[in-house]
Amino acid sequence: MVEDVTRTVRTPCLCHALRKASRAVSRLYDDELRTVGLRTTQFSLLAYLHRTGEVRQGDLGELMSLEETTVTRNVRPLVSGGWVSVRVGIDRREKWVTITEAGIAKLKEALPAWVRAQRKMKAVLPEQVWQNLLAVLPDVAQAAVQG
Amino acid sequence: MVEDVTRTVRTPCLCHALRKASRAVSRLYDDELRTVGLRTTQFSLLAYLHRTGEVRQGDLGELMSLEETTVTRNVRPLVSGGWVSVRVGIDRREKWVTITEAGIAKLKEALPAWVRAQRKMKAVLPEQVWQNLLAVLPDVAQAAVQG
DNA sequence: ATCTAATCCCTGTATATACATGTTTCATGG
DNA sequence: CCATGAAACATGTATATACAGGGATTAGAT
């Protein structure tokens, strides 16, 4: 019976593999970003908002595979920092999110830290693996949403 | 200046890619595991403890790329559920963690849910991608810890 | 114009995660 | 044997994440 469980579970769990790698890599990026007082999630949000311009809060979640309710909360520290501003839409149910000038400055300030982290990871992974991951991971996220 | 930031950030961020995929995949696994009242993290811990037998709490963290302080807290709901027990070591600073009989039963109960999730993901990913991820992700975690 | 259902977001609650710091216990040099 | 530092874990605090359920607003049918 015990052996039964063991045998089945021996197949590696994709979810666990992803989460474990996520934790380890996040710590490395956070180590660098800490020097400018940002976390990787916050950096990603700023970078994303900078690219897209003003976005509806719900769409932000969809595009980052984040629950709406999580977006609400993730945006909060950014608003507190003055890096992001939120306004009510014409449709007053909607919230529209924008990066502020201060946010753009912060993003610029954080860029070298992010580059260092990115370089570190690139340096310790075979080029093939690096390229492959960047190509494949978005599809994995997509597939899981469909799933 | 704005273009400057945009250009640099256009390179995909490995950390963001991993976290995004993690979230999406975790939701899929959690959807299944919810039917038996477990989360993917809890399932992974149980599965791990089942494989290894009694472990020192600190080692558990190391092997799962979890901070010690996070292990302390992740173990809590499992102890509350009666699926895991903790005892003080001969060296009284140490905590030794074991899966209980109830924990093994729970793991067995959860197995079909996990298999469903696993199959779902396998079904929506090319075989090559699936194999490659399972092979590569542990190395990524390892590399990040070294990094 | 009104009623109903859908949309969009928020709050409550719980887990997950990590860092800074604190506490207890052990090991080790003197 | 004692002092000091290291080891192992816990707590305080903050963010990240998600589900269940709730409130406000709008769209659509009648």
Side-chain angles (χ1 to χ4, degrees), chain B residues 4-65:
Chain B
D4 189 30
V5 176
T6 304
R7 203 173 312 124
T8 312
V9 174
R10 194 161 307 168
T11 315
C13 176
L14 179 65
C15 187
H16 175 248
L18 272 171
R19 291 177 69 93
K20 182 176 169 183
S22 250
R23 286 192 295 268
V25 171
S26 292
R27 276 198 296 272
L28 189 147
Y29 279 69
D30 279 340
D31 270 350
E32 296 295 342
L33 288 169
R34 192 175 0 266
T35 64
V36 296
L38 283 181
R39 301 207 178 175
T40 180
T41 300
Q42 302 174 342
F43 176 83
S44 294
L45 267 172
L46 287 183
Y48 186 81
L49 289 173
H50 184 262
R51 257 187 291 128
T52 61
E54 199 174 37
V55 205
R56 207 162 55 94
Q57 190 178 282
D59 294 340
L60 196 53
E62 190 132 353
L63 288 156
M64 301 190 77
S65 289

Side-chain angles (χ1 to χ4, degrees), chain A residues 19 23 27 56-58 68-69 72-73 93 95:
Chain A
R19 291 177 69 91
R23 286 191 296 267
R27 276 199 296 272
R56 207 163 54 96
Q57 190 177 284
E68 295 173 14
T69 63
T72 298
R73 278 156 164 132
R93 292 170 299 184
K95 295 271 187 86

Side-chain angles (χ1 to χ4, degrees), chain A residues 69-81:
Chain A
T69 63
T70 303
V71 177
T72 298
R73 278 156 164 132
N74 283 4
V75 161
R76 278 220 263 258
L78 296 178
V79 172
S80 299

